[in-house]
Amino acid sequence: MTANRADGLETRNRLLESACRLFAEQGYHAARTAEICRAARANVAAVNYHFGGKKQLYVAAWRHAIAQSVKAYPLDGGVPSAAPPAERLRGHVLALVRRFLDARSLDMKIADREMLHPSGLCAEVMHHSIKPLREMLEQIIRVLLGPDAAPEAVRLCAMSVHAQCHAVMAHERRLRNMPRDGRRRPPPLTMGPDALAEHIVRFSLAGVRAVRAGVRRGLRTPAVKGGRR
Amino acid sequence: MTANRADGLETRNRLLESACRLFAEQGYHAARTAEICRAARANVAAVNYHFGGKKQLYVAAWRHAIAQSVKAYPLDGGVPSAAPPAERLRGHVLALVRRFLDARSLDMKIADREMLHPSGLCAEVMHHSIKPLREMLEQIIRVLLGPDAAPEAVRLCAMSVHAQCHAVMAHERRLRNMPRDGRRRPPPLTMGPDALAEHIVRFSLAGVRAVRAGVRRGLRTPAVKGGRR
DNA sequence: GACTAGTTCAAACGGATATTTTAAATTATG
DNA sequence: CATAATTTAAAATATCCGTTTGAACTAGTC
């Protein structure tokens, strides 16, 4: 009997990488297996041989992307959990923004598309991709907000922070997807990941402190008019 | 000669409404003309008779959605442009969040899908939908940041505010799209649009003030370790 | 060096689905 | 009632894509 051959694993890996990229760029439905194979310099039959079908390839590719991302960008950003919460937030946001802007980190892009146009596969993987992220962020913010903070307040602040990081990715993707010659493209990101993260951290720390102050005083502010019809 | 018939306009309108809804829920590619017609209680041929094809229907429906939204939710939220900038921001955010959460406001949902999966049609309409929004927001923030603010700082703060409003819509959509019986659904929005807007305004006003303070002092903060491989 | 199972390949399969058109039937309106 | 505007059902059109197959190939083993 002969052992598995080395070249087999190589094409399997190429397939995995191409699949990550194309699924991230186009989503499960729009990405064509033929194109994935072409990008991987493999025959169309390779997908079925190595993975058993497009669906299984999708799940495998997503898992692969997640593994790569968390290895490259630990969620705490390298800041120990004993550090002051402001520093931990900085680490987390920086790691997140870098990850979002790294063209090789594809898991969040896949997750994003899955949200908008679910393939029906892998609700499993979805949570695996997103849950730890939210938990870490909420944990940090809980400390920042202090012991009296309502769970609602924590969730809202986490949303505010995450939304900003996410927006950076969305903006960058818009730049990529736009036709190169389009006269009216959105203004490019003139700054690098670190400067962007810096803004988000400063903005958010102040925001969280304001919410903390508001919670303590039980503030409510007047409504504003203007509604539907 | 007989004039155009009334029933013709009626089905044309029903078609427009159904198209808005389905294009917003599924995007241009995934939405089927047959389903649009079924929802509008019209024959499949109706799309071609009234609009000349799916593409033209898409553009017309989007325009229709935009018109409805701006009529229902004026961008200034009813706050006069002479009001203090904090009030104007409150008005703007409140209008935006209400609009994002109103199931009948579909233009932003269509735009959102178009961003992620462009149909290639109507870069025109896209800008028509988004540009005025960004301009109003940046104008308000420019005042809040003061005369010394760099254009970059204005753009970043506008991004921070808009991202939060957008996240609200995204979260609500996730709730809709999730399988009803999914054990693990994201936590629902327990609060109404006004409370959400209230949080965003408080968070953002503090954030903008912090950025303003940082700009004045020319602050820069130290980098944090943790990167790619 | 030959054997063999793991791997690649080109070509075709099979199936599905959507948009658009057509021509006849119907209806509102002047 | 006459007529052009709509509606209708069915056929036409246009793609297209994931998967299979059986033969050819090749790395690794004996």
Side-chain angles (χ1 to χ4, degrees):
Chain A
M1 180 190 303
T2 68
N4 282 8
R5 284 160 44 176
D7 55 345
L9 276 184
E10 275 172 30
T11 55
R12 201 190 122 98
N13 271 341
R14 285 204 310 279
L15 232 33
L16 228 34
E17 301 273 350
S18 304
C20 282
R21 193 154 42 79
L22 283 165
F23 283 136
E25 279 173 15
Q26 321 196 19
Y28 175 74
H29 299 281
R32 308 295 164 204
T33 55
E35 203 184 344
I36 292 174
C37 290
R38 197 171 46 67
R41 304 190 309 281
N43 189 274
V44 273
V47 166
N48 291 283
Y49 179 75
H50 286 285
F51 297 92
K54 188 186 182 184
K55 293 179 195 169
Q56 290 97 321
L57 172 61
Y58 183 60
V59 178
W62 197 350
R63 286 214 150 88
H64 180 72
I66 293 179
Q68 286 209 332
S69 267
V70 300
K71 191 172 55 171
Y73 297 104
L75 285 186
D76 56 10
V79 176
S81 64
E87 272 315 302
R88 293 181 67 200
L89 185 70
R90 189 180 309 279
H92 180 73
V93 167
L94 189 52
L96 214 54
V97 171
R98 280 179 177 162
R99 178 173 169 181
F100 277 153
L101 285 183
D102 188 332
R104 288 165 299 182
S105 278
L106 298 170
D107 61 323
M108 299 307 291
K109 291 171 182 113
I110 297 179
D112 218 30
R113 297 211 172 259
E114 183 71 18
M115 295 233 188
L116 216 57
H117 196 323
S119 69
L121 315 164
C122 49
E124 198 62 29
V125 188
M126 186 67 136
H127 261 257
H128 204 261
S129 176
I130 292 178
K131 198 179 162 195
L133 220 146
R134 212 188 61 191
E135 281 177 352
M136 156 123 309
L137 182 55
E138 291 196 352
Q139 193 200 331
I140 295 174
I141 285 180
R142 202 170 290 120
V143 178
L144 278 170
L145 277 181
D148 307 348
E152 286 287 86
V154 175
R155 290 231 319 268
L156 283 175
C157 286
M159 181 275 285
S160 290
V161 175
H162 183 83
Q164 294 174 74
C165 299
H166 183 273
V168 167
M169 171 173 70
H171 190 275
E172 198 271 346
R173 174 169 49 207
R174 218 168 306 148
L175 286 179
R176 283 175 159 276
N177 286 355
M178 278 269 160
R180 290 272 168 276
D181 58 317
R183 319 132 277 286
R184 295 179 306 195
R185 312 182 63 188
L189 295 175
T190 56
M191 39 183 61
D194 295 21
L196 287 168
E198 176 51 36
H199 162 80
I200 295 175
V201 169
R202 181 181 300 164
F203 192 98
S204 299
L205 276 178
V208 170
R209 277 190 215 109
V211 169
R212 172 170 192 163
V215 165
R216 247 204 316 265
R217 280 181 274 138
L219 273 191
R220 281 291 172 274
T221 27
V224 175
K225 55 186 171 171
R228 168 65 74 166
R229 297 169 231 295
Chain B
M1 179 192 301
T2 69
N4 284 7
R5 283 159 46 176
D7 56 347
L9 275 184
E10 275 172 30
T11 56
R12 201 191 121 98
N13 271 342
R14 284 203 310 278
L15 233 33
L16 228 36
E17 302 272 352
S18 303
C20 284
R21 192 154 42 78
L22 283 164
F23 283 137
E25 279 174 16
Q26 321 196 19
Y28 175 73
H29 299 281
R32 310 294 167 201
T33 55
E35 202 185 344
I36 292 173
C37 290
R38 198 171 44 69
R41 304 190 308 282
N43 188 275
V44 274
V47 166
N48 290 282
Y49 179 77
H50 287 285
F51 297 93
K54 188 187 182 184
K55 294 179 195 168
Q56 291 97 320
L57 172 61
Y58 183 61
V59 178
W62 197 351
R63 286 214 151 88
H64 181 72
I66 292 178
Q68 286 208 332
S69 268
V70 300
K71 192 171 54 172
Y73 296 104
L75 285 186
D76 57 11
V79 177
S81 65
E87 273 314 303
R88 293 182 67 202
L89 185 70
R90 187 179 311 279
H92 180 73
V93 167
L94 189 51
L96 215 53
V97 170
R98 281 178 175 164
R99 179 172 168 181
F100 277 153
L101 284 184
D102 188 331
R104 288 166 299 184
S105 277
L106 299 170
D107 60 324
M108 300 306 290
K109 290 169 182 118
I110 298 179
D112 218 31
R113 296 209 172 261
E114 183 70 18
M115 295 235 189
L116 216 58
H117 197 323
S119 69
L121 314 164
C122 49
E124 197 63 30
V125 188
M126 186 67 135
H127 262 257
H128 205 260
S129 176
I130 291 179
K131 197 177 161 195
L133 220 146
R134 212 188 61 190
E135 281 176 353
M136 157 122 311
L137 182 55
E138 290 196 352
Q139 193 201 331
I140 295 175
I141 285 180
R142 203 170 290 119
V143 178
L144 278 170
L145 277 181
D148 306 349
E152 285 287 86
V154 176
R155 289 231 317 270
L156 284 175
C157 287
M159 182 275 283
S160 290
V161 175
H162 183 83
Q164 294 174 74
C165 299
H166 182 273
V168 168
M169 172 174 69
H171 190 276
E172 198 270 348
R173 174 169 48 207
R174 218 168 307 148
L175 286 178
R176 283 176 158 276
N177 285 356
M178 277 269 159
R180 290 273 170 274
D181 58 318
R183 321 129 276 285
R184 295 177 306 194
R185 310 183 63 187
L189 294 175
T190 56
M191 39 183 60
D194 294 22
L196 286 168
E198 176 51 36
H199 162 80
I200 294 175
V201 169
R202 182 181 300 163
F203 192 98
S204 299
L205 276 178
V208 170
R209 276 191 215 109
V211 169
R212 173 169 190 163
V215 163
R216 248 206 315 265
R217 282 182 275 138
L219 273 190
R220 280 293 171 272
T221 26
V224 176
K225 55 186 171 169
R228 167 67 72 164
R229 295 169 232 295

